Amino acid sequence: MAPDILAEITDMLVEIVGDEYLLAEEVTMKTTFNEDLALESIEFVALAELLHHRYGAEVDLMGFLAEKDMDAILAMSVGELVTHIGRITHTSLSRVSAGSSPASAG
């Protein structure tokens, strides 16, 4: 699942910052948003919106960032976001699976 999420985030980043920049840089789990990608705050907002459209309101990038101090935000890697999304989507899928049993349909 993580490689799929990483690929989707990479696609979103290409959409936000342009492929001419990201083609020179391979986005990996260790790629940092600040130092490697030099993402501006407005680009984080755009990423948050794309994540919301793709994964739903539960993947709240701004809420995820709010839990971190400034140093942690500046050092954050793409892998941390991939892990966060994987954890949220896994929890959501578990809840959907638990709620879709025949006993709950009646």
Side-chain angles (χ1 to χ4, degrees):
M1 180 188 278
D4 295 338
I5 296 171
L6 178 60
E8 289 178 347
I9 290 174
T10 301
D11 290 344
M12 291 175 193
L13 290 168
V14 166
E15 184 177 333
I16 293 165
V17 300
D19 59 354
E20 61 280 347
Y21 177 75
L22 281 181
L23 287 179
E25 290 287 324
E26 180 184 0
V27 177
T28 69
M29 295 289 276
K30 293 182 180 181
T31 301
T32 61
F33 287 101
N34 184 49
E35 191 163 324
D36 296 327
L37 299 175
L39 231 60
E40 302 284 334
S41 57
I42 190 72
E43 293 165 331
F44 263 112
V45 172
L47 179 59
E49 186 174 318
L50 291 174
L51 290 170
H52 177 85
H53 287 300
R54 170 61 182 94
Y55 297 105
E58 289 182 326
V59 176
D60 177 12
L61 178 58
M62 295 302 135
F64 180 62
L65 293 175
E67 297 172 359
K68 300 178 174 294
D69 65 22
M70 185 54 75
D71 289 337
I73 291 171
L74 292 174
M76 190 173 83
S77 68
V78 172
E80 288 177 68
L81 181 58
V82 169
T83 301
H84 171 68
I85 292 169
R87 192 170 41 244
I88 297 295
T89 56
H90 177 74
T91 300
S92 296
L93 289 174
S94 296
R95 263 191 257 129
V96 168
S97 297
S100 63
S101 66
S104 66

